[in-house]
Every structure is written in structure tokens, then in C-alpha cells.
Amino acid sequence: MSKAVVAVVGRPNVGKSTLFNALAGERISIVEDTPGVTRDRIYADVSWLDHEFTMIDTGGIEPDSSDIILSQMREQAQIAIDTADVIIFMTDVRQGLVDADAKVADMLRRSKKPIVLVVNKVDDFDKHVMDSYEFYNLGIGDPHPISAAGKLGFGDMLDAVIAHFPEPDILDREDDTPRIAVVGKPNVGKSSLINRLCGKQRLIVSDIAGTTRDAVDTRVRFNKKDYIFVDTAGLRRKSRIQGDIERYSIVRAVAAVEKADVVVLVIDGAEGVSEQDAKIAGIAHERGKAVIIAVNKWDAVEKDNHTMSDQIDRIHKTLSFMLYARIIFISALTGQRLGQLYEAIDQVIAASTMRVGTGVLNEIVAEAVAMQQPPTDKGKRLKIFYVTQVAVKPPTFVVFVNDKKLMHFSYVRYLENQIRQNFGFEGTPLRMITRQRDDKS
């Protein structure tokens, strides 16, 4: 079952990242200027009572002039509207109610999405809580006073957030048509691919990165089966700052991946696999989703006998964490191999929902242990008592051992590879959970 997506919107310096870090329980959204991967962690899993949701921090824009701040805030708000189930609109009690807050509140109100209005920096409730009442003037409901830095007021705020989530039984009764998220960096041909699959120009396509209008769900019937394709739009308009296009394409990818059964990562065949492709692939892997890598524009690539295998090698090198992914070479322009895409979708769905009997699973693991002895440490050897599959989407296995500390990552990977060799599981990640129990033998 997919998790709800909650997006945080607000002006620069109202404390979005502080709230995000406090709820995520670690410094994921990086405040200091560290180059590299850390800056890109703009989503996290949050648990509150019996609910789990994915939280997205849309923030991080601090331009100088107020009109640019407003245009960038509108862009953030639009992305939150497009992607989130619930929007946290964050304001600052110290700065008070400002014009930009009112303008974004108008946009959010018109979206008809549930909004939780949060007033941050209420560090002393006795002194400042009355000041938060000013925000009733926004006309989007009760302001929830909090201190993100002091972790005050979170309970009432999170209660308000989860009150907007659908009931679990409603989620379970939802349409069980497979949902396929088509993701990738801007301008690789995501919309062209969906247009081709639908046979009609549902989405606006142009050569400017980030011109797709919206995240659009498109139902397609192929060989008497229904599929729902989710286009993860770029920006509504070309951003003034190039880096924002990348950030927001990732924000949208997170939300679409969360609600998908299968992720089709579209790569530009002429350009090859990039670092941004790896970031988006990492989201799908982390979320435990079945993955197909569609190398698009293959008709435009000059080929010899080694071109395809060289491209596969490069993909495996850059996306070394998902060697299980199914790779197909397509052209959205000519329609080349698009029939194979449906076939691949069916296969990876079957793999991600496959269950393996406990008896046969333990036979395979016993053979694997006989072929490669488990690791030892200070004379103590790892013993594997029992393995059982406990979940699907992704297939999840619990391995009962005598000592968790002896279960090295490399041996977990070895067992995973043995399970794949025997049962397939192409296109889906596997989760291996190690549990310790007393050695009674």
C-alpha cells in the first residue's frame, strides 16, 4: 500500500528544513553548504502513531528580491499541489503575516488539497501563542503554533496532518490497476513515451526542459489489460535557476514513485546514464519498487555489434545498486520495442509480488551455505537457522541467525544472489532482514 505524501511549503528562512530534520530524526535536509549527495536528500519517511508517510521539503530557495521569492514560492506551491496528499504551509511568527504568505495561501486554497497551516518559531507558548492568531486572516483554517527548533507543538500538528489521510481500508479497496511511474531527468522523452503509448497528445511536449504542464495519470488498455501511467512532470515553466529544475524533477519523482507499482526510468540513449539518473533510480530502489530502465532515442544512436552491451555495462557501472533492473532499448519517436515495455511491466510486477514457499527457500539457502561457508569472527561462526518470506512489493525475507553481528553485508548479498539465481525476481529489489535468536542446537 502506498504511503501518503506530505509536502512542506513556505518562504525562505521560516524553518522548513529544521522541521524536516526534526521529524525525519536525522540531519537529512542539509543546512550547511556541503557539496555532493547530501544536499539532495529532500524526502524522508516519517512515522506518527500508527501512520507512516513520506515528507518532502520543497524549500531551499533564497533569492534576493522579493518578487523572485514570490515567483519561486508559487513554483514550490504548485509542485506541492501537484504531488502531495497533504500540504504543510509554514509561516514565521517573528516575521508575522506578509504579502507573500497571503498570495501563496490563495493558490493553496484554490487547489482544494488539504492544508495544515503551521506557525513556526513559537519558542515560548505563553508569550507568543497569541501572535499566531494573526494567521487566521489567511483563511485556510486553524494555525498550529510550533517550535521546529525546540520540537514543541508537533503532536497537534501531526494529528492535523494524519486526519487528512484516507482510511486504510479505503486505500486497500482502491483500483488495483498497475500504476507505472515514468521518471527521468527533464527532456529525455517521458511525455513523448506516454503520448506514444496512449496514441494521443495528452501531454504538452516541447524541447525546453521542464515544460510539461502537470503530473497526469493516463489509463491505457493494451492486450485486454489496463495500465495507469503517471507522468512525473518537469516544471510548469522554465525556472530562473537551472538547479531548481533538477531539484523539482526529483521532488515530483519521489511522489510518483511512492504511489507506483513499477518505475520506468527513462534514459537518453544518446547521452547515456547520468548522475541525476542515478539519484532518481536511488529513490525507486530505496522505496522497494520494481524497476525497468528504458533507454530512449535508441533510433538516433549510431550502432555496431557492441553498442548495446557497452551501454548496458555503463548503466550497470553507474547504477551498481540495481543490477536487478530490467533494461530495454526503445524509441518513443518510432514506437520501436514499445510492445516489449508492456511485457516487461507484466514480468516485473509478477516478480515483485512473487511468494516463495518456506521449504524450498530453506533448501536453496542450505545449498548456498554448503557452497560458501558463513563468516566467522574470533572463532564464532555465523549460523543460519531458518529463512522465510514475510512480504511482497518488494519481496522481503527474514533470516534467523545466531549472531546478527556476524551477518556481514557481503554474505547478505551472496544469499540474495543465490535466491535470485533460483527464483528469478528480475526487476525487483529484495529486502533481507536479519533476526537473532538463541542457538538451541
Side-chain angles (χ1 to χ4, degrees):
M1 192 176 67
S2 64
K3 294 195 196 92
V5 175
V6 177
V8 188
V9 179
R11 281 182 293 111
N13 303 317
V14 294
K16 297 187 294 294
S17 294
T18 310
L19 174 66
F20 183 78
N21 294 327
L23 290 174
E26 54 186 302
R27 291 177 63 77
I28 291 176
S29 177
I30 300 301
V31 181
E32 61 276 3
D33 200 290
T34 315
V37 187
T38 43
R39 286 181 70 80
D40 301 313
R41 290 307 302 265
I42 51 182
Y43 61 94
D45 292 323
V46 178
S47 298
W48 176 246
L49 304 176
D50 294 331
H51 295 270
E52 287 194 357
F53 59 91
T54 298
M55 188 168 176
I56 296 177
D57 176 10
T58 62
I61 301 157
E62 298 190 19
D64 299 331
S65 72
S66 58
D67 64 318
I68 296 178
I69 286 180
L70 184 54
S71 76
Q72 294 284 11
M73 270 196 72
R74 282 181 172 147
E75 208 155 76
Q76 285 182 25
Q78 191 56 58
I79 284 155
I81 288 163
D82 290 348
T83 57
D85 298 299
V86 182
I87 296 161
I88 292 177
F89 181 32
M90 200 161 183
T91 58
D92 179 344
V93 76
R94 292 184 200 158
Q95 294 176 24
L97 183 58
V98 301
D99 186 44
D101 291 331
K103 289 195 165 101
V104 173
D106 287 342
M107 233 180 123
L108 294 174
R109 193 186 303 107
R110 286 196 300 272
S111 77
K112 304 286 194 286
K113 287 276 176 98
I115 301 151
V116 175
L117 174 60
V118 171
V119 183
N120 191 26
K121 305 187 186 175
V122 182
D123 300 325
D124 183 330
F125 270 55
D126 293 337
K127 274 188 195 166
H128 302 300
V129 84
M130 296 294 283
D131 297 335
S132 69
Y133 294 161
E134 174 189 14
F135 291 88
Y136 272 109
N137 291 320
L138 290 171
I140 51 173
D142 297 336
H144 294 273
I146 68 158
S147 167
K151 299 188 180 180
L152 302 172
F154 282 11
D156 289 347
M157 173 188 70
L158 291 171
D159 285 348
V161 168
I162 64 174
H164 294 296
F165 293 173
E167 289 297 317
D169 61 326
I170 294 170
L171 283 170
D172 290 339
R173 282 201 305 270
E174 271 180 4
D175 182 357
D176 60 0
T177 306
R179 291 179 64 84
I180 297 98
V182 180
V183 302
K185 62 187 187 185
N187 220 25
V188 291
K190 301 187 295 292
S191 301
S192 304
L193 174 59
I194 293 176
N195 289 339
R196 187 86 197 191
L197 293 166
C198 302
K200 56 192 173 200
Q201 289 287 319
R202 262 295 288 278
L203 308 171
I204 293 170
V205 183
S206 91
D207 288 336
I208 304 169
T211 49
T212 313
R213 289 278 175 213
D214 246 320
V216 183
D217 289 8
T218 309
R219 186 178 284 270
V220 179
R221 195 161 181 78
F222 183 81
N223 278 354
K224 300 180 182 173
K225 283 188 195 167
D226 280 358
Y227 303 85
I228 295 170
F229 285 91
V230 184
D231 180 63
T232 51
L235 294 179
R236 293 196 149 226
R237 55 188 171 276
K238 195 156 171 47
S239 174
R240 295 172 196 220
I241 306 168
Q242 187 64 31
D244 296 340
I245 291 180
E246 178 177 329
R247 181 190 182 87
Y248 290 147
S249 64
I250 289 174
V251 167
R252 285 215 170 125
V254 172
V257 164
E258 195 62 78
K259 295 182 181 342
D261 301 299
V262 178
V263 174
V264 176
L265 173 62
V266 184
I267 289 171
D268 187 319
E271 286 182 18
V273 66
S274 71
E275 190 186 329
Q276 194 182 348
D277 294 323
K279 285 174 195 163
I280 296 172
I283 295 164
H285 176 72
E286 229 173 54
R287 279 19 222 164
K289 303 296 181 174
V291 177
I292 296 163
I293 297 168
V295 183
N296 191 25
K297 307 184 186 178
W298 197 239
D299 56 309
V301 175
E302 284 189 33
K303 299 180 240 342
D304 60 27
N305 292 340
H306 306 292
T307 313
M308 195 176 273
S309 59
D310 288 350
Q311 182 77 276
I312 290 170
D313 288 346
R314 282 195 294 275
I315 290 168
H316 281 165
K317 193 172 178 182
T318 308
L319 308 181
S320 56
F321 54 87
M322 55 162 55
L323 300 178
Y324 55 81
R326 178 82 189 266
I327 301 174
I328 61 172
F329 293 81
I330 62 164
S331 168
L333 187 67
T334 66
Q336 181 187 12
R337 296 200 188 90
L338 291 197
Q340 281 187 22
L341 183 57
Y342 286 109
E343 188 186 306
I345 288 165
D346 291 343
Q347 286 171 355
V348 300
I349 288 172
S352 71
T353 54
M354 179 162 66
R355 287 189 181 273
V356 176
T358 300
V360 68
L361 180 62
N362 281 279
E363 281 173 29
I364 296 303
V365 170
E367 281 176 27
V369 168
M371 282 192 297
Q372 186 170 320
Q373 284 293 304
T376 58
D377 185 40
K378 295 176 185 155
K380 187 175 185 183
R381 184 175 294 283
L382 173 73
K383 279 189 188 171
I384 295 173
F385 298 122
Y386 186 73
V387 184
T388 186
Q389 185 177 354
V390 294
V392 294
K393 286 188 175 181
T396 303
F397 302 89
V398 174
V399 185
F400 291 95
V401 300
N402 60 333
D403 189 343
K404 273 174 75 168
K405 292 195 289 291
L406 293 171
M407 185 62 131
H408 298 164
F409 170 77
S410 57
Y411 204 73
V412 173
R413 178 61 54 86
Y414 165 68
L415 291 178
E416 181 185 319
N417 289 338
Q418 293 300 310
I419 290 169
R420 283 190 188 282
Q421 277 177 29
N422 283 277
F423 302 109
F425 289 115
E426 185 185 21
T428 181
L430 302 183
R431 293 278 181 269
M432 308 288 282
I433 300 166
T434 307
R435 290 266 188 276
Q436 187 170 318
R437 68 169 212 200
D438 293 334
D439 186 349
K440 296 193 175 79
S441 56

